[in-house]
Amino acid sequence: MVAAVPTLEAWLAAEAEPDPWVVETSGSTGRPKRVLLPRPAVLASVRASARRLGASGQWLLALPEGYVAGLQVVARSVVAGHEPVRLEEHASFTAAAAAMTAEHRFTSLVPTQVRRMLEVPEEAAALASFHTVLVGGGPVDPALRRRAAEGGVHVVATYGAAETAGGCVYDGVPLDGVGLALDRDGRIRLAGPTLFAGYDADPELTAQVLVDGWYLTSDAGRLDEDGRLQVLGRLDDVVVTGGVNVPAPAVAARLLEHPGVRAAEVLGVPDEEWGNRLVAFVVGRDRQVPLAELRDWVGAAHPRSWAPRQLVALDEVPLLGNGKPDRLALRRLAGEAS
């Protein structure tokens, strides 16, 4: 049995309102924060998710349960009356999927996990047997969506944070009851019943991001013609290099379209000449694509000034425990390679 399941079951079923559940943020850009999630917020997220997906059932836990995405996998399965299946207790994802017993099966993954599974025929077939695969923790690039669809995998991209009890925007559309707004600078704001109660022992930081019932995220976004949210990346992902504002996530998305690139991240690092230089961290497929070729590839779709000035070749992108890219480790690698 998953270690957190008995404790979470008791917390969800307690007659009196229990103390908030505490989850840590990933700490991908600095010190992790301890987020206080009231039980009503967790349950609101579970129920809104089931309504949007049109079904509930058994979940496969492939993410650390200490983070909000893993917590929600356990909560959704428990509320639906099923014990979640834990990936680490099985030899492979395929074996874990085979151990599931409910009619409707779900899992929550990060893009890197989906990308790797689609490259293994047995795991790709197992993914296709799930009702829905939620994908969060980072942007889902169009190429990955196409590969998933071609393999019969139903992917739903989620956006949210520990502060919103996990993903609260599915494929660009807020879940029922969730408020979504953009500030003048494009900052994404979220509201509704899934919001956290604050940061543990940090009222000052709580007051900075929880304002008038809205959670002020650190992300920038825009609404497309259909009113769907397009997440452009973190506000600090806009790199000012040589006096030009470059959205690093857009450059990474372009790199991922190159046939020789399997994975890519783009960050800005301090530079004496440019103020910041744009660095591409790239995992090649059969070969490492040269920097000049990648610069030309980016320049063919975007302004030439958006092209990365440094390339760091990787065997794999370093990840945190929750599957997100380790941005601090990437910046260290950029410094070592310069």
PDB file of all heavy atoms in Angstrom, residues 52 56 90 114 127 249:
ATOM      1  N   ARG A  52     -14.381  17.568 -15.254  1.00  0.00           N
ATOM      2  CA  ARG A  52     -13.832  17.964 -16.546  1.00  0.00           C
ATOM      3  C   ARG A  52     -13.447  16.736 -17.383  1.00  0.00           C
ATOM      4  O   ARG A  52     -13.651  16.718 -18.603  1.00  0.00           O
ATOM      5  CB  ARG A  52     -12.608  18.868 -16.341  1.00  0.00           C
ATOM      6  CG  ARG A  52     -11.938  19.324 -17.638  1.00  0.00           C
ATOM      7  CD  ARG A  52     -12.866  20.143 -18.535  1.00  0.00           C
ATOM      8  NE  ARG A  52     -13.423  21.279 -17.833  1.00  0.00           N
ATOM      9  CZ  ARG A  52     -12.795  22.458 -17.695  1.00  0.00           C
ATOM     10  NH1 ARG A  52     -11.598  22.641 -18.219  1.00  0.00           N
ATOM     11  NH2 ARG A  52     -13.394  23.444 -17.041  1.00  0.00           N
ATOM     12  N   SER A  56     -14.107   9.155 -13.260  1.00  0.00           N
ATOM     13  CA  SER A  56     -13.139   8.986 -12.191  1.00  0.00           C
ATOM     14  C   SER A  56     -12.798   7.509 -12.128  1.00  0.00           C
ATOM     15  O   SER A  56     -13.488   6.673 -12.708  1.00  0.00           O
ATOM     16  CB  SER A  56     -13.695   9.475 -10.847  1.00  0.00           C
ATOM     17  OG  SER A  56     -14.887   8.772 -10.514  1.00  0.00           O
ATOM     18  N   HIS A  90       6.768  -1.622  -9.052  1.00  0.00           N
ATOM     19  CA  HIS A  90       6.695  -2.535 -10.187  1.00  0.00           C
ATOM     20  C   HIS A  90       7.948  -2.403 -11.045  1.00  0.00           C
ATOM     21  O   HIS A  90       8.660  -1.398 -10.981  1.00  0.00           O
ATOM     22  CB  HIS A  90       5.442  -2.247 -11.013  1.00  0.00           C
ATOM     23  CG  HIS A  90       4.169  -2.483 -10.244  1.00  0.00           C
ATOM     24  ND1 HIS A  90       3.517  -3.689 -10.224  1.00  0.00           N
ATOM     25  CD2 HIS A  90       3.455  -1.652  -9.437  1.00  0.00           C
ATOM     26  CE1 HIS A  90       2.444  -3.602  -9.455  1.00  0.00           C
ATOM     27  NE2 HIS A  90       2.385  -2.377  -8.964  1.00  0.00           N
ATOM     28  N   VAL A 114       6.520  11.486 -20.507  1.00  0.00           N
ATOM     29  CA  VAL A 114       5.718  11.112 -21.681  1.00  0.00           C
ATOM     30  C   VAL A 114       6.618  10.902 -22.884  1.00  0.00           C
ATOM     31  O   VAL A 114       6.485   9.918 -23.622  1.00  0.00           O
ATOM     32  CB  VAL A 114       4.661  12.186 -21.978  1.00  0.00           C
ATOM     33  CG1 VAL A 114       3.884  11.829 -23.250  1.00  0.00           C
ATOM     34  CG2 VAL A 114       3.705  12.337 -20.806  1.00  0.00           C
ATOM     35  N   LEU A 127       0.348   3.380 -22.200  1.00  0.00           N
ATOM     36  CA  LEU A 127      -0.205   4.732 -22.073  1.00  0.00           C
ATOM     37  C   LEU A 127      -1.519   4.864 -22.833  1.00  0.00           C
ATOM     38  O   LEU A 127      -2.451   5.522 -22.372  1.00  0.00           O
ATOM     39  CB  LEU A 127       0.785   5.763 -22.599  1.00  0.00           C
ATOM     40  CG  LEU A 127       1.878   6.275 -21.663  1.00  0.00           C
ATOM     41  CD1 LEU A 127       2.753   7.277 -22.388  1.00  0.00           C
ATOM     42  CD2 LEU A 127       1.287   6.911 -20.420  1.00  0.00           C
ATOM     43  N   PRO A 249      11.109  30.309 -23.378  1.00  0.00           N
ATOM     44  CA  PRO A 249      10.289  29.140 -23.711  1.00  0.00           C
ATOM     45  C   PRO A 249       9.956  29.041 -25.199  1.00  0.00           C
ATOM     46  O   PRO A 249       9.862  27.934 -25.741  1.00  0.00           O
ATOM     47  CB  PRO A 249       9.021  29.352 -22.876  1.00  0.00           C
ATOM     48  CG  PRO A 249       9.465  30.197 -21.726  1.00  0.00           C
ATOM     49  CD  PRO A 249      10.480  31.120 -22.312  1.00  0.00           C
TER      50      PRO A 249
END
